[in-house]
């Protein structure tokens, strides 16, 4: 069986842990979170605008039908009145 020799780095190399990498990851995560929230807000706003437009088109169609019924009723009433004279 081979013998694996252990290696330990000398303690006097002057290597120190650096918190900048941890801080950078935190900053990046906050940035991604902010951008995701902005995107979600824009999608919500778009959905509300589309929904409002659909409702407005529905109201226009309903008003058109109501006016058509009024117009047809008025024409029928006029013909009936003319026929009685």
């Amino acid at each position: 069986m081979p013998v694996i020799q252990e290696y330990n780095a000398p303690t006097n190399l002057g290597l120190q842990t650096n918190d900048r990498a941890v801080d950078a990851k935190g900053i990046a995560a906050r940035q991604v979170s902010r951008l995701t929230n902005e995107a979600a807000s824009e999608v919500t706003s778009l959905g509300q605008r589309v929904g409002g437009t659909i409702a407005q088109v529905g109201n226009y169609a309903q008003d058109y039908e109501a006016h058509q019924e009024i117009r047809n009723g008025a024409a029928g009433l006029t013909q009936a009145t003319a026929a009685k004279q």
Side-chain angles (χ1 to χ4, degrees):
M1 180 178 222
V3 176
I4 299 175
Q5 190 175 22
E6 183 178 340
Y7 177 77
N8 291 315
T11 58
N12 61 351
L13 290 177
L15 299 176
Q16 298 174 1
T17 59
N18 188 345
D19 290 337
R20 282 188 287 175
V22 174
D23 292 341
K25 286 181 183 179
I27 291 168
R30 284 189 293 277
Q31 179 81 358
V32 168
S33 175
R34 185 181 62 78
L35 292 174
T36 302
N37 288 339
E38 274 184 34
S41 177
E42 289 298 320
V43 169
T44 300
S45 175
L46 176 63
Q48 289 173 345
R49 288 194 314 259
V50 168
T53 302
I54 291 170
Q56 192 173 25
V57 169
N59 289 338
Y60 288 151
Q62 193 174 19
D63 289 347
Y64 176 79
E65 285 295 319
H67 289 291
Q68 287 291 91
E69 289 177 14
I70 292 168
R71 190 187 74 188
N72 292 338
L77 181 61
T78 303
Q79 287 175 354
T81 304
K84 282 191 171 187
Q85 292 178 356

